[in-house]
Amino acid sequence: MAQRRTPFGDRARYWFDSTLARGAAALVGWMALLCLAVVVPTSAVLVWTDPDAPPSLAERLAEVWRLTGETLRLGGASGTPLRAMMSVLLALVTLLYVSTLVGLITTALTERLTALRRGRSTVLEQGHAVVLGWSEQVFTVVSELVAANANQRGAAVVVLADRDKTVMEEALGTKLGSFGRTRLICRSGPTTDPAVLPLTSPVAAGVVLVLPPDGLDADAEVVKTLLALRAALAGAEPCPPVVAAVRDDQYRLAARLAAGPGGVVLESDTVTARLIVQAARRPGISLVHQELLDFAGDEFYLISEPALTGRPFGDVLLSYSTSSVVGLMRGGAPLLNPPPETPIAREDLLVVITRDDDTSWLEDCAGLAEKAAMASRPSPPAPAERILLLGWNRRAPLMIDQLHRSARPGSVVDVVAERGEATIRQVSEADADSGNGLSLALHHGDITRPETLRRLDVHSYDSVIVLGRDPVPGHSPDDPDNRTLVTLLLLRQLEEATGRELPVVTELIDDRNRALAPISPAADVIISGKLIGLLMSQISQNRHLAAVFEELFSAEGAGVRLRPATEYVLPGSETFFATVVAAARRRGECAIGYRSRDDSSTSPRYGVRINPPKRERRRWTAEDEVVVIGKD
């Protein structure tokens, strides 16, 4: 069948439309051609009809060029009517061209500004931090990175998320305020697209952090983002360190493979569950974790000290006046709180808690320890514990598993929830078969109803854990916390009715609800997203700290403990903190701070003091607690 021939006019119109679609440059070009097509012939008519026109052709062409170059000549020519009409026509064409050109330039600038607002330009930074994804954790991560860069010039944090650039900048600016010396740069686009990731210049970045987004498919999105990052960094040497977080353990291996050999992947639900259990067993421990993880105070660092080679670890504990030594990094593996007689090898790195990476200097403080002030009584055996778990979410089975692994004989865990019965019964049967002495019981009920809590003798429990529901897609992120806040109100009512304070540990999803919770400011509140954000920020500065935190927060390893001060120093004695360190060394522990009950209500840190100077002298009371690194 013969192909129908397209008319020349249609083809010309299509070609003209195609050139116009190329943008402002094509429009300016067409305007220039159309203008010259009218202005040059009109100028030629004006020159050739002028009685005083020069005789030679070259001079007349020069006059035509001069008239063409003149703009906004409104009727400048005189003489015959034809000359006046041509002059007016030339002025009108010039006005039309100038006004159209101004409009095109304005449109082009507007389009450029709109593109910039969309965040589609490539970042040209070096050594910056790249944050991929958007969730409640982004505020914590950016805030901590800004704090870590407080003493650095030219630092930058680049955030890429599938959101409007202006909205992200306003949200971060409203929540965090000033960014100090750090430049905040937002770019808009999907983090799972390898063609979009180069906008953040990940090849030149100092570190890349991948945040789990909100939603049921958060872990799958993290894996896809890591794969996209891997494709964007293909062939780059060296690749920047990558820090990511997933919720479920089943995605951790896939995320590690996608992150590469230098990547660090955290399992947020497991870490959160461990810290909630620790807080339930020792109230106030969450305040210590907050102090250790944020950049506002003292943090973990790895330092090399050749002068201590061959010395036993016990001597090193009193070798720094303003730093607390808690372990060794040997062959890439952490040894927290090793035996005091462990010798320091030349290749070992010391794990210390100090203000900054340049604030650790040697100073022998052994002479400050006063043996007469040390307590000699051993710690009493840990009694059986009674824990009440109110609510159920995806982290609840992990908490029960943590309690199961370290259960004390005769311990009781009662669960009150509306759902999760199958999982609870399955765990309960496993505990019964294990024979470890942990009694686990399920009570069905709505924890937001007063009658449910009245049926329980809540004051008979050593700790009460309040959990919120898992976020539901399509609902406000505040929804899970709403039920938690209602439950806390009911518990507060029980406290007021009996005049007895309840040892409550609360899990919240949104950090903004911390101020709304009807509990004391020094109570244990675990903000799961904020906690993982703090961990990611710490590891982003030194990825070798990931192994340190893994050991620190594990149920079986040497973790952070709060012990009565009377187990270390005599109550009422006034002595240096070096005395407490020496007393802890005799017990096989590393003392890193204390909590003063007298300052718990007035101090901005609620009485928690991490890494005090060894020369700090104070009077110790029976209500004080010592923060140590050790085992149960």
Side-chain angles (χ1 to χ4, degrees):
M1 183 177 178
Q3 189 174 13
R4 181 181 177 183
R5 183 176 180 83
T6 304
F8 174 77
D10 293 342
R11 285 188 283 116
R13 188 180 302 106
Y14 176 76
W15 176 78
F16 178 73
D17 294 341
S18 299
T19 57
L20 291 180
R22 296 178 182 175
L27 291 174
V28 172
W30 273 113
M31 286 299 303
L33 290 176
L34 292 174
C35 182
L36 291 175
V38 176
V39 172
V40 172
T42 304
S43 299
V45 172
L46 289 174
V47 171
W48 256 265
T49 57
D50 188 359
D52 300 325
S56 65
L57 178 61
E59 292 176 334
R60 290 194 175 192
L61 292 177
E63 185 67 14
V64 170
W65 179 253
R66 184 186 65 80
L67 290 176
T68 301
E70 291 181 357
T71 58
L72 300 178
R73 278 194 341 115
L74 189 57
S78 59
T80 63
L82 178 61
R83 284 178 52 81
M85 290 177 59
M86 292 297 101
S87 178
V88 172
L89 177 61
L90 182 62
L92 293 176
V93 170
T94 304
L95 286 172
L96 177 63
Y97 174 74
V98 171
S99 60
T100 306
L101 182 62
V102 170
L104 291 174
I105 294 175
T106 303
T107 302
L109 290 175
T110 303
E111 292 177 352
R112 179 59 178 170
L113 291 175
T114 302
L116 291 175
R117 292 193 193 100
R118 293 190 186 123
R120 305 297 295 178
S121 59
T122 303
V123 173
L124 300 179
E125 301 287 340
Q126 296 287 333
H128 55 290
V130 176
V131 180
L132 302 179
W134 187 272
S135 65
E136 279 298 316
Q137 295 171 348
V138 72
F139 302 105
T140 300
V141 169
V142 173
S143 175
E144 292 301 307
L145 292 176
V146 169
N149 297 329
N151 58 350
Q152 299 181 16
R153 292 184 177 274
V157 177
V158 180
V159 179
L160 173 66
D162 199 7
R163 291 192 170 206
D164 184 81
K165 172 180 177 291
T166 305
V167 173
M168 289 190 290
E169 290 175 343
E170 291 178 352
L172 289 168
T174 302
K175 189 75 174 286
L176 306 181
S178 173
F179 299 104
R181 295 182 176 182
T182 303
R183 293 183 59 224
L184 177 66
I185 305 171
C186 293
R187 291 293 179 263
S188 182
T191 60
T192 56
D193 189 350
V196 175
L197 292 181
L199 294 177
T200 63
S201 295
V203 175
V207 65
V208 179
L209 298 95
V210 181
L211 306 183
D214 299 325
L216 296 177
D217 298 330
D219 291 346
E221 286 291 314
V222 170
V223 175
K224 289 177 62 178
T225 299
L226 290 172
L227 290 173
L229 179 63
R230 185 177 180 179
L233 294 174
E237 288 293 341
C239 291
V242 178
V243 182
V246 294
R247 296 174 179 171
D248 199 329
D249 180 60
Q250 66 176 340
Y251 285 93
R252 191 174 187 181
L253 177 59
R256 281 181 172 176
L257 294 174
V264 176
V265 179
L266 302 176
E267 188 184 346
S268 61
D269 282 358
T270 299
V271 174
T272 303
R274 289 172 179 174
L275 297 186
I276 291 177
V277 170
Q278 290 183 16
R281 285 178 166 162
R282 197 64 190 180
I285 198 71
S286 66
L287 302 173
V288 179
H289 291 145
Q290 175 80 15
E291 283 288 296
L292 289 173
L293 292 179
D294 64 26
F295 284 103
D298 295 40
E299 305 91 39
F300 287 95
Y301 290 92
L302 303 178
I303 63 173
S304 175
E305 198 65 75
L308 297 177
T309 301
R311 299 273 300 276
F313 179 77
D315 291 352
V316 177
L317 296 178
L318 289 170
S319 296
Y320 292 89
S321 175
T322 58
S323 302
S324 298
V325 182
V326 298
L328 306 173
M329 181 68 74
R330 178 172 292 177
L335 298 175
L336 295 183
N337 189 38
E341 63 274 8
T342 304
I344 308 298
R346 181 174 297 276
E347 297 79 13
D348 289 344
L349 297 176
L350 298 180
V351 182
V352 302
I353 300 174
T354 187
R355 171 65 59 176
D356 212 335
D357 53 3
D358 57 354
T359 57
S360 296
W361 51 80
L362 290 173
E363 181 182 353
D364 189 6
C365 300
L368 300 176
E370 300 171 332
K371 293 184 179 180
M374 296 184 189
S376 58
R377 71 181 184 90
S379 300
E385 55 190 354
R386 288 176 53 85
I387 296 178
L388 177 62
L389 182 62
L390 298 177
W392 190 264
N393 58 26
R394 66 174 188 271
R395 287 171 292 280
L398 299 174
M399 298 176 200
I400 295 177
D401 180 66
Q402 291 293 315
L403 294 169
H404 161 71
R405 292 188 181 188
S406 55
R408 303 161 186 169
S411 297
V412 174
V413 176
D414 290 335
V415 181
V416 181
E418 295 180 85
R419 52 183 181 173
E421 295 89 343
T423 305
I424 296 174
R425 290 194 178 97
Q426 182 179 1
V427 176
S428 180
E429 292 172 359
D431 286 338
D433 295 338
S434 67
N436 66 345
L438 176 67
S439 174
L440 181 63
L442 166 66
H443 305 273
H444 188 274
D446 185 355
I447 62 174
T448 62
R449 293 183 177 275
E451 56 269 22
T452 301
L453 298 182
R454 291 197 190 103
R455 290 197 301 264
L456 301 168
D457 184 12
V458 293
H459 291 284
S460 66
Y461 293 92
D462 300 307
S463 183
V464 179
I465 302 175
V466 181
L467 301 180
R469 287 180 175 177
D470 292 319
V472 179
H475 291 257
S476 168
D478 290 340
D479 287 347
D481 288 345
N482 289 346
R483 294 177 56 85
T484 304
L485 296 175
V486 171
T487 303
L488 291 176
L489 278 172
L490 297 178
L491 292 174
R492 170 56 68 89
Q493 184 186 36
L494 292 176
E495 288 181 332
E496 294 175 349
T498 59
R500 297 168 57 190
E501 184 177 350
L502 289 171
V504 178
V505 179
T506 306
E507 181 197 22
L508 293 176
I509 305 301
D510 193 341
D511 188 31
R512 292 173 295 183
N513 292 326
R514 174 65 174 84
L516 305 179
I519 53 179
S520 64
D524 284 282
V525 177
I526 307 296
I527 312 294
S528 53
K530 183 176 182 178
L531 176 68
I532 299 304
L534 291 173
L535 270 175
M536 294 180 69
S537 302
Q538 288 282 346
I539 297 172
S540 70
Q541 303 302 302
N542 187 343
R543 66 184 182 89
H544 298 290
L545 290 178
V548 174
F549 290 124
E550 180 72 20
E551 171 77 9
L552 195 67
F553 296 145
S554 66
E556 298 81 10
V560 181
R561 309 286 186 246
L562 270 174
R563 312 253 196 238
T566 53
E567 298 180 7
Y568 301 86
V569 291
L570 298 175
S573 61
E574 183 177 337
T575 184
F576 297 105
F577 183 69
T579 303
V580 178
V581 176
R585 180 179 59 183
R586 288 176 15 177
R587 296 163 51 91
E589 299 170 337
C590 301
I592 63 172
Y594 62 87
R595 184 186 185 191
S596 173
R597 291 293 182 177
D598 295 336
D599 301 333
S600 60
S601 59
T602 58
S603 169
R605 299 292 181 180
Y606 307 113
V608 174
R609 184 80 186 279
I610 297 298
N611 189 38
K614 304 295 190 299
R615 295 183 177 276
E616 180 180 311
R617 191 175 182 87
R618 66 185 302 270
R619 185 174 300 277
W620 300 86
T621 68
E623 289 75 25
D624 291 337
E625 294 175 297
V626 176
V627 183
V628 300
I629 301 294
K631 295 186 177 181
D632 285 332

